[in-house]
Amino acid sequence: MDRPTLYIANKNYSSWSFRPWMALTGAGVDFEEVLIPFDYPGGNPDIKAVSPTGRVPLLQQGALKIWESLAIIEYVAELYPDAGLLPRDRAERALARSVSMEMLSGFRALRGACPMNIRRQKGKIALPDGVDADISRIETIWRDLLQQSGGPFLFGAFSGADAMFAPVVNRFEIYDLVSQNDTLAYMETMKAHPAWRKWEEAARAEPWIVPEDEV
């Protein structure tokens, strides 16, 4: 089997890259990482050279290319069924896919107002309409899943669903958006994961600044 290559963008800002990278790293999957920064006003042509959408993340294995974070996680979960990226129980797998898809397609108010930024100093901002509702819904998802599984991750052990919400953990922290003890405890669990710490260390060392993401 060819070793897969994961193309990603800036670790400080790229929430979409963070998701599959943390999933694969957290599950112990062996892959090559290629980082292409998006520091060009019109988009980095090196990204367009490898990705049919002109965006990353993108996973390549041999001639096969897979784009979109959740599609990458699902593909790798099939390649490595013992890696734990999807729960073993069928009902839990369906639930994990449901909340992952909700993260993929929803919470636009939160994502638009509060870009991921690992290096940002913690501090509140004025929040537009819709952000509070997004926060409440995400906290409800986390609370319900943690109560059902017993934690410490959403489905007990670390899975792709946790990786899908990883950028939200950063957003909740750096914009000081939450105060519930169960939410904060889950955030600390995520931030203590070795994959998170590895990503954070690399993000803080990056030289690139993207002004529009510096809220």
Side-chain angles (χ1 to χ4, degrees):
M1 184 186 298
D2 292 334
R3 184 181 185 220
T5 298
L6 181 65
Y7 293 91
I8 61 172
N10 312 47
K11 289 184 175 177
N12 188 57
Y13 303 108
S14 182
S15 59
W16 295 107
S17 297
F18 189 17
R19 293 181 171 100
W21 187 97
M22 184 161 183
L24 272 61
T25 303
V29 174
D30 180 33
F31 68 97
E32 180 182 358
E33 171 191 322
V34 177
L35 191 155
I36 308 175
F38 49 61
D39 56 348
Y40 289 68
N44 191 326
D46 290 340
I47 294 177
K48 296 178 180 179
V50 299
S51 172
T53 65
R55 299 178 179 180
V56 290
L58 178 134
L59 186 79
Q60 182 164 4
Q61 188 171 39
L64 178 64
K65 292 184 177 182
I66 303 121
W67 54 96
E68 299 294 347
S69 297
L70 186 54
I72 293 169
I73 293 172
E74 288 273 347
Y75 175 74
V76 175
E78 291 185 1
L79 280 183
Y80 303 96
D82 294 329
L85 287 175
L86 286 172
R88 291 190 178 276
D89 178 79
R90 182 171 61 184
E92 289 188 351
R93 283 200 306 275
L95 187 55
R97 286 175 167 132
S98 293
V99 298
S100 295
M101 278 299 303
E102 187 173 357
M103 182 65 252
L104 181 74
S105 61
F107 310 120
R108 296 184 182 276
L110 173 64
R111 297 205 313 248
C114 304
M116 189 180 89
N117 186 335
I118 299 292
R119 296 191 300 254
R120 186 182 190 273
Q121 184 174 355
K122 183 176 180 178
K124 292 182 178 295
I125 61 171
L127 299 175
D129 291 344
V131 175
D132 286 339
D134 284 354
I135 295 169
S136 177
R137 173 58 186 154
I138 292 169
E139 287 195 280
T140 297
I141 291 171
W142 290 1
R143 183 173 300 113
D144 289 349
L145 292 176
L146 290 167
Q147 288 177 352
Q148 180 175 314
S149 70
F153 295 98
L154 297 180
F155 290 89
F158 175 80
S159 72
D162 297 290
M164 286 298 296
F165 282 99
V168 171
V169 173
N170 172 255
R171 289 178 166 108
F172 278 5
E173 178 182 32
I174 64 172
Y175 298 102
D176 195 13
L177 298 176
V178 293
S179 59
Q180 295 295 321
N181 288 337
D182 53 355
T183 299
L184 295 174
Y186 174 66
M187 290 166 59
E188 289 302 315
T189 295
M190 285 288 286
K191 288 162 52 186
H193 195 290
W196 177 290
R197 290 182 173 180
K198 186 176 180 181
W199 177 279
E200 180 181 31
E201 181 180 6
R204 292 187 180 280
E206 285 182 346
W208 308 291
I209 301 294
V210 179
E212 56 265 33
D213 287 335
E214 292 290 333
V215 177

